[in-house]
Amino acid sequence: MDIIDPGVSDYLLSHCTPADDLLRELAAETREAFPHDIAGMQISHDEGALLTMLVRLTGARQAVEVGVFTGYSSVCIARGLPADGRLLACDVSDEWTSIARRYWERAGLADRIDLRIAPAIETLRALPAEPYIDFAFVDADKVGYPLYYEELVPRLRPGGLIVLDNVLRAGRVLDPACEDEADVAMRRMNETVVADDRVDSVMLPVRDGVTLARRR
């Protein structure tokens, strides 16, 4: 299922603040370095612009990212933080994040980003238990979403925001016959969020679906 008509997609991209040279180069290098199905894990420019805006609107200083890939979303999140803000970036791949590191340096953001190469659930469980996180973005293995969500939500300060990517799974969450493990996990994740009385949430048809959940 095409969530966004290609013509509408082109119009959207042409009517938001354009990507700068660094983001365009990062997107191009990612496309060239990996097969299409892997390169497709990189977020689109309009979603990146949305992340930057959300970080700025929430006044975030402490941010967490689960799933870095080659660092496009990290750049977008870190750019929204103040100079003394910090982004904890969680991933398991040295190969993918080696590209991210180069672009963080070029963007002048390396001092704001703390990369942890380890299973994200271990990193999250080791964080302080008190609610101090202002912003979190989850774009990693879909089966792990429920675990990441349950570690992050209690650590969000009141008014803090968690953003979940790929919540529509190309429309497969709408079809109960789709029994891929990731589709089933995301379907359950979506039901969990809408029933969670700790947060107010909205699901948006941005690219492959984005859910915003704000801690009450």
Side-chain angles (χ1 to χ4, degrees):
M1 178 185 296
D2 289 329
I3 303 302
I4 303 178
D5 179 272
V8 174
S9 176
D10 291 342
Y11 190 82
L12 288 172
L13 290 170
S14 66
H15 287 81
C16 61
T17 302
D20 62 8
D21 289 342
L22 182 135
L23 286 176
R24 285 195 294 268
E25 290 176 26
L26 173 52
E29 181 172 342
T30 301
R31 288 193 300 269
E32 293 168 2
F34 301 100
H36 178 74
D37 57 333
I38 295 178
M41 294 193 299
Q42 182 172 249
I43 66 169
S44 61
H45 169 59
D46 52 334
E47 187 173 350
L50 176 63
L51 291 177
T52 303
M53 185 171 291
L54 290 173
V55 172
R56 289 174 174 160
L57 288 173
T58 57
R61 291 180 178 275
Q62 297 292 331
V64 175
E65 178 182 38
V66 180
V68 174
F69 191 36
T70 57
Y72 195 106
S73 53
S74 307
V75 170
C76 295
I77 294 168
R79 280 179 168 174
L81 296 171
D84 61 348
R86 294 293 179 268
L87 170 61
L88 173 65
C90 308
D91 207 286
V92 294
S93 173
D94 281 310
E95 177 191 4
W96 295 347
T97 57
S98 66
I99 297 174
R101 286 179 184 272
R102 285 195 283 107
Y103 282 88
W104 297 342
E105 289 284 352
R106 286 181 54 189
L109 299 169
D111 60 342
R112 298 186 197 180
I113 302 174
D114 176 13
L115 176 64
R116 305 283 181 88
I117 299 295
I121 193 62
E122 296 178 5
T123 301
L124 297 179
R125 285 173 176 163
L127 295 177
E130 65 266 16
Y132 74 98
I133 296 171
D134 302 305
F135 183 89
F137 178 55
V138 180
D139 183 16
D141 61 294
K142 309 315 168 192
V143 174
Y145 269 43
L147 295 175
Y148 307 144
Y149 181 82
E150 290 303 330
E151 293 299 326
L152 286 165
V153 169
R155 293 174 167 88
L156 284 177
R157 50 94 171 163
L161 188 68
I162 182 170
V163 180
L164 305 175
D165 200 12
N166 303 117
V167 296
L168 294 177
R169 295 284 297 163
R172 291 191 294 276
V173 293
L174 283 68
D175 185 357
C178 292
E179 297 183 347
D180 177 85
E181 188 178 20
D183 297 334
V184 171
M186 188 60 73
R187 197 176 295 125
R188 291 175 178 166
M189 181 77 267
N190 293 339
E191 296 303 322
T192 295
V193 174
V194 76
D196 190 351
D197 61 9
R198 297 170 298 178
V199 302
D200 296 309
S201 66
V202 59
M203 184 182 288
L204 303 173
V206 175
R207 296 302 159 185
D208 193 28
V210 171
T211 289
L212 313 182
R214 180 182 182 272
R215 183 74 192 270
R216 291 176 176 173

